[in-house]
Amino acid sequence: MGTQTFINCSLSAIIITFLVSSYSAHSQDLTFKLIHRDSPHSPLYNPLHTVSDRLKAGFLRSISRSRRFSTKTDDLQSGLISNGGEYFMSISIGTPPSKVLAIADTGSDLTWVQCKPCEHCYKQNGSIFDKTHSSTYKTEGCDSKPCNALAKKEKGCDRSGKICKYLYGYGDRSYTKGEVATETISIDSSSGSPVSFPGTVFGCGYNNSGTFDGTGSGIVGLGRGPLSLISQLGSSIGKKFSYCLSNTSYSTNGTGVINLGTNSMPSNPSKGSAVLTTPLIYKTQNTYYYLNLEAITVRKTKIPYTGGGGGGGGYSLNEKATGNIIIDSGTTFTFLESGFYEKFGAAVEASVTGAKRASDPQGMLIHCFKAGYKKIGLPEITMHFTGADVKLSPTNAFLKKDEEIVCLSMIPTTDVAIYGNLVQADFRVGYDLEAKTLSFQRIDCFGTL
């Protein structure tokens, strides 16, 4: 199968603007419009960066981010990279509301932002939230449910023993310290009237230092754990959300969307766009979203997946050894278990036509091909998750490095496997936390904007 269209740059940091499409007393549907970090609309846009520069930066962020999921760390949260997030989210916090910009992270739970009065805050481009100016700010006690939801290494108490404290230490020695509190989170609606979520648990960080990006104020947790924004919104969004990322996200006009609510799930199957559903695997480490990958087919060669179910902090006695790959919208590249990857890579090389083996000019990717006089024929690759056979397009699985060289966008790992955002492009990916399922639907995400 030949193609002349390839993803020319990574799906990376994105600013999210909230638009409310509908609202009721019991549930609501929220749409987040996404702006690619390399778009001219992004505050991180650098017109001097080339496609190669952006691809290399995306590769390095993927490597750094993958270390947070390492099976070799005692506490996965401590393996975080402070500046490794892929998206930004714009929200309002407090009463009266104060707008802040923070990294939106499907691999984190507790939302935290920089707070005044600061003991030590890093330089931030926008205004810092001042808790003393908000009438709805309330600290949490040391024996409170939110405090007990933190890992042992992440929580403590003030000297009075009344206020819960949190501490997040990151892999690059950056850190954030502060109070666990509740506050009103507000989202602007399409009508101009904000929708508010009072009593949202978050971390008020007054001591933050390291390599944090001054563009953002902190992190918005979108993981599966009890303290994430997704879990706290719970029944108000039907415990459902989805996103749709376009493979033209690097362009001036397009990006993608993230949706919250009962109407956000993939539906209305039509020819060529069936809804494919697979179980979400729950582990003792409850932050991440796990799937079970059974095999990968390259053209007509089906290769059983041999990767283990690591990265979850171990299994309980009643858990089966499933859930061998984390799906993560914040990691650009896909990581596959190294032993399996050797067979997989060999199958890809045997299936590519009209090209010869080449080296990646930047030395990042392993399986690269140089076009000859004929158009390159790239194989169809199918990911076989439990109950869902997801067929990837060439734009999902391959990257154009320059005018002649094309590379496979998947790389080996000795740690937990990660299903990155390049292979998720032009799919609506829906998370139903009530049914514990994840769905894929092939769709033109650029056309949904």
Side-chain angles (χ1 to χ4, degrees), residues 296-312:
I296 300 179
T297 293
V298 180
R299 208 179 291 275
K300 294 183 179 181
T301 302
K302 188 173 185 179
I303 311 164
Y305 188 67
T306 55

Side-chain angles (χ1 to χ4, degrees), residues 279-294:
L280 279 170
I281 308 300
Y282 280 40
K283 295 194 176 186
T284 52
Q285 209 301 328
N286 64 1
T287 297
Y288 312 124
Y289 298 103
Y290 290 90
L291 305 177
N292 195 53
L293 179 62
E294 297 179 347

Side-chain angles (χ1 to χ4, degrees), residues 69-136:
F69 304 116
S70 173
T71 60
K72 298 181 177 65
T73 58
D74 294 329
D75 180 357
L76 290 179
Q77 188 69 41
S78 66
L80 291 172
I81 302 300
S82 63
N83 199 20
E86 294 294 296
Y87 306 95
F88 286 102
M89 179 179 289
S90 178
I91 63 174
S92 294
I93 185 168
T95 307
S98 174
K99 284 191 176 292
V100 297
L101 193 67
I103 295 170
D105 191 358
T106 56
S108 293
D109 288 332
L110 181 68
T111 294
W112 68 267
V113 299
Q114 291 208 106
C115 284
K116 290 182 178 178
C118 293
E119 286 184 8
H120 183 277
C121 290
Y122 59 86
K123 185 177 180 181
Q124 184 176 311
N125 296 340
S127 61
I128 296 177
F129 171 66
D130 190 336
K131 66 179 184 179
T132 64
H133 291 172
S134 174
S135 62
T136 47

